[in-house]
Structures are given as structure tokens and as C-alpha cells.
């Protein structure tokens, strides 16, 4: 394993960090409410940071999403890359790549995914989709949504297509989420029989990277607060209980980061990674929840202020916990995968390549 970023990845991360730091300020985030920041989205597309994902790979995307998570920047970056750029680049036909990737790279096309679908959506032989997805992140911003059907096929659906209905849903995090209802909507097939599992693993890894950034940002705020806030004539950070709580949060954050890096590296290099993606998702769910709770707790009474910046990290951390799946659910899936790595009826890699 080599987690050292390439020159291209390091340059992209440095540029993203500067843009997020300059534009995703507390004041701008408060003014955005539950919607997305259009100006920040334009800045990211103008800098080429969406198109660059095709070149820097999933590990590069994880590094970039860490920077978004540190500032809880309200843009559909994770969704567009995880459910648009990477799936089209890796599983699209040459014609699909030529048609869809330029618009995704410029931000003209904004993608999201109706994951996890849990078998709620079915497709008929003509590619018409019927079913619902109750809460899709950034759906209200999206021009296209990647939809898995009950058989595991992937469909790219335009949100303004006949038979598509979107209604607003407010989640704990301000992700411009929506409920998706399909009534005979036509979709465009993307990828073969293995595409669903590969896209799901990549998306889990990407959102784990986002959680690593959310936790790092929460912890950084807690360190700054406890280092400057004094009680009984000394900083709060000198208390042993504070130091231990912060140390535990740091170790949890590092566990999320390293498992996400490993899963991303394996996916980029073509190695089996379903178990690793599930492991990264479990750490992001379980440890992420602990870290954002610790960040809020270490702020004392200020942590209970809904307008304090650390509360935004708390909301994002809990929403990512719910979106990735609770720990027991992920462990159950991981256990089933380990005990039966090739589910009954599924194609083996050799059969799929044939």
C-alpha cells in the first residue's frame, strides 16, 4: 500500500483546501440555510476540481472530500463525483463517457445516487423504472440521479424526465435532500452486472473520506476552544479528562482516514475491496459518531448552541452515520460477505468477463 499522494493529487488537494477555506466560512454557511452554495460550486468547477477526479482516482477524491468535510461546505461534490464522474468513467460505454463526462466536469450536470435502494425500485424490460427512494442527498440540486434497481442494474435518470417526481426532504444535515418517486421513468443503463457492487463500494469509501474530514474539523475546533478557554486560571486542555477525550477522538479520526485510504487504494489498483469498503464505512459510522459527540461535548455549554460552528460538524457526522448505515447493519453485511464472498447466483469475475 502506498498512501502518499501523487503530485497531481497533492496539487488538487491544496487548491481545494484553499477554496473551501476561503468560501465555506461560518457566515456563508449560515446564510445558505439548508441549500447549496452556488458560488462555491462555480469556484470548484472553474478550478477543474470535479473534472480532475477522473485523473486523481478514488484515493484523490477521498483526499479532496476530507477538505470539504473539514469546512462542511454545502455543495454536491461527494455525490456528483461518487455517483456521476467515477461511475461513468469506469463503467460507461465510450459514447456515454464522451457525452456525459464533459458536462459533469463543468458542473453543468449535477449527479447524485438513490443509494441504498433496498430493492424499492424495479425496472421493466424497456428500461422504465418504478419505485421510491425516501431520502436522496443533494437530489434537489441534481440534474441526474444514479438509480439501482431491485436486480442490481444501474440506471442514469434525468431528474426532469417524464415520470420523475421530487419532493423536498430536510435531514439533520443541510444536504438539499429530496424524496425520489419514479412512475415509469425511462433510464439509461450504465455498466454491467458487477457495476452496482463496485459503485457502492466506491461511494461508501468516498463518504467515509468525507466523514474523516468532518471529524478532523470537529476535533480541530475542540482543540482550539479548549486551548484558549480557561477555567480556574488554566486552559481546559490541561485537564486530564479533556486530553483523554481528545486523544480518543484523534485515534478514531485516524482509523476512519486509514481505512478509507486503504479501500480507495485497493479500488484504484483493481484489487478486491468490498470488505475494505465496508470496514471503512463501519469506522466512519461508529467512530465518526463518537468523534462529533466528543467535539460537541468538549465545547461545554457552547456545544449546545445551535448556531456554533461545531454544531454543524455534529449534524454532518450524525447524518453520515445514518447514510452509511448503522454499525450493526454494516457488520451484518460484512459478516455475510466474509462467510459467503460470492452470493448464490452471482457471476464470478471470470464469468462476468466472459
Amino acid at each position: 500500500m502506498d498512501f502518499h499522494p501523487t503530485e497531481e493529487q497533492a496539487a488538487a488537494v491544496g487548491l481545494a483546501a484553499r477554496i473551501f477555506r476561503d468560501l465555506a466560512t461560518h457566515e456563508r454557511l449560515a446564510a445558505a440555510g439548508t441549500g447549496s452554495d452556488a458560488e462555491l460550486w462555480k469556484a470548484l468547477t472553474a478550478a477543474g476540481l470535479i473534472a480532475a477526479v477522473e485523473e486523481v482516482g478514488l484515493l484523490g477524491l477521498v483526499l479532496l472530500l476530507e477538505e470539504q468535510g473539514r469546512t462542511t461546505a454545502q455543495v454536491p461534490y461527494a455525490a456528483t463525483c461518487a455517483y456521476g464522474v467515477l461511475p461513468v468513467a469506469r463503467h460507461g460505454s465510450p459514447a456515454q463517457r464522451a457525452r456525459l463526462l464533459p458536462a459533469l466536469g463543468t458542473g453543468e450536470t449535477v449527479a447524485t445516487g438513490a443509494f441504498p435502494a433496498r430493492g424499492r425500485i424495479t425496472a421493466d424490460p424497456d428500461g422504465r423504472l418504478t419505485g421510491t427512494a425516501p431520502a436522496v442527498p443533494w437530489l434537489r440540486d441534481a440534474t441526474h440521479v444514479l438509480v439501482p434497481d431491485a436486480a442490481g442494474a444501474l440506471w442514469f435518470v434525468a431528474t426532469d424526465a417524464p415520470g420523475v417526481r421530487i419532493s423536498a426532504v430536510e435531514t439533520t444535515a443541510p444536504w438539499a435532500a429530496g424524496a425520489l418517486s419514479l412512475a415509469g421513468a425511462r433510464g439509461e443503463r450504465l455498466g454491467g452486472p458487477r457495476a452496482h457492487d463496485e459503485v457502492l463500494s466506491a461511494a461508501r469509501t468516498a463518504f467515509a473520506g468525507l466523514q474523516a474530514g468532518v471529524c478532523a474539523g470537529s476535533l480541530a475546533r475542540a482543540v482550539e476552544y479548549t486551548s484558549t478557554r480557561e477555567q480556574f486560571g488554566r486552559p481546559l486542555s490541561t485537564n486530564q479528562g479533556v486530553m483523554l477525550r481528545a486523544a480518543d477522538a484523534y485515534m478514531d479520526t485516524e482509523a476512519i482516514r486509514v481505512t478509507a485510504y486503504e479501500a480507495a487504494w485497493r479500488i484504484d489498483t483493481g484489487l478486491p475491496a468490498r470488505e475494505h469498503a465496508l470496514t471503512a464505512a463501519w469506522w466512519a459510522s461508529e467512530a465518526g459518531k463518537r468523534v462529533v459527540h466528543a467535539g460537541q461535548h468538549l465545547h461545554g455549554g457552547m456545544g449546545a448552541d445551535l448556531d456554533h460552528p461545531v454544531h454543524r460538524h455534529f449534524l454532518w457526522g450524525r447524518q453520515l452515520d445514518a447514510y452509511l448505515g448503522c454499525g450493526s447493519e454494516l457488520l451484518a453485511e460484512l459478516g455475510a460477505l466474509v462467510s459467503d464472498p460470492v452470493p448464490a447466483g452471482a457471476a464470478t469475475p471470470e464469468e462476468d468477463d466472459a
Side-chain angles (χ1 to χ4, degrees), residues 167-254:
S167 55
V169 172
E170 297 300 344
T171 63
T172 55
W175 288 0
L180 177 68
S181 177
L182 303 173
R186 185 173 292 280
E188 178 180 3
R189 181 71 184 270
L190 186 69
R194 295 176 63 194
H196 173 273
D197 288 346
E198 292 177 5
V199 168
L200 179 57
S201 291
R204 281 170 163 161
T205 304
F207 280 92
L210 183 63
Q211 181 76 302
V214 169
C215 291
S218 174
L219 184 58
R221 291 188 181 279
V223 168
E224 180 184 10
Y225 179 80
T226 57
S227 298
T228 55
R229 176 75 170 181
E230 291 190 357
Q231 190 177 54
F232 305 116
R234 62 177 186 173
L236 289 172
S237 60
T238 60
N239 293 313
Q240 187 179 40
V242 172
M243 288 190 284
L244 291 173
R245 190 79 189 275
D248 286 342
Y250 173 79
M251 294 304 296
D252 273 337
T253 301
E254 288 301 296

Side-chain angles (χ1 to χ4, degrees), residues 126-330:
D126 295 326
R128 294 188 178 277
L129 305 170
T130 300
T132 60
V136 179
W138 287 290
L139 181 62
R140 303 200 308 263
D141 293 335
T143 61
H144 290 75
V145 55
L146 187 64
V147 177
D149 67 20
L154 295 180
W155 305 86
F156 212 48
V157 180
T159 55
D160 61 354
V164 178
R165 184 167 61 87
I166 295 171
S167 55
V169 172
E170 297 300 344
T171 63
T172 55
W175 288 0
L180 177 68
S181 177
L182 303 173
R186 185 173 292 280
E188 178 180 3
R189 181 71 184 270
L190 186 69
R194 295 176 63 194
H196 173 273
D197 288 346
E198 292 177 5
V199 168
L200 179 57
S201 291
R204 281 170 163 161
T205 304
F207 280 92
L210 183 63
Q211 181 76 302
V214 169
C215 291
S218 174
L219 184 58
R221 291 188 181 279
V223 168
E224 180 184 10
Y225 179 80
T226 57
S227 298
T228 55
R229 176 75 170 181
E230 291 190 357
Q231 190 177 54
F232 305 116
R234 62 177 186 173
L236 289 172
S237 60
T238 60
N239 293 313
Q240 187 179 40
V242 172
M243 288 190 284
L244 291 173
R245 190 79 189 275
D248 286 342
Y250 173 79
M251 294 304 296
D252 273 337
T253 301
E254 288 301 296
I256 300 169
R257 178 180 288 118
V258 73
T259 52
Y261 286 3
E262 181 182 11
W265 176 82
R266 292 182 67 90
I267 291 171
D268 282 342
T269 54
L271 294 171
R274 286 183 64 191
E275 297 95 331
H276 302 80
L278 275 165
T279 301
W282 181 84
W283 274 104
S285 176
E286 286 290 294
K289 181 167 50 183
R290 290 196 296 265
V291 173
V292 296
H293 274 265
Q296 193 171 36
H297 185 203
L298 290 173
H299 278 75
M302 295 299 295
D305 183 358
L306 301 185
D307 295 324
H308 195 283
V310 78
H311 186 65
R312 189 176 293 109
H313 290 269
F314 176 79
L315 294 179
W316 277 59
R318 290 311 308 257
Q319 186 62 38
L320 282 165
D321 165 41
Y323 183 66
L324 288 164
C326 67
S328 58
E329 181 182 10
L330 292 167

Side-chain angles (χ1 to χ4, degrees), residues 99-140:
R99 175 168 47 87
L100 295 171
L101 285 176
L104 285 164
T106 61
E108 178 184 353
T109 295
V110 178
T112 189
F115 286 74
R118 305 185 192 283
R120 293 188 180 99
I121 297 171
T122 59
D124 68 16
D126 295 326
R128 294 188 178 277
L129 305 170
T130 300
T132 60
V136 179
W138 287 290
L139 181 62
R140 303 200 308 263

Side-chain angles (χ1 to χ4, degrees), residues 19-72:
I19 293 174
F20 285 129
R21 183 177 60 249
D22 290 347
L23 294 182
T25 62
H26 175 57
E27 293 74 22
R28 287 177 57 86
L29 290 168
T34 62
S36 297
D37 188 330
E39 183 180 345
L40 175 54
W41 184 246
K42 290 179 181 178
L44 292 172
T45 57
L49 288 173
I50 299 173
V53 171
E54 187 181 354
E55 300 297 327
V56 301
L58 181 57
L59 180 55
L61 176 59
V62 166
L63 295 169
L64 290 164
L65 290 177
E66 278 192 77
E67 299 305 322
Q68 180 186 3
R70 290 180 201 275
T71 59
T72 60

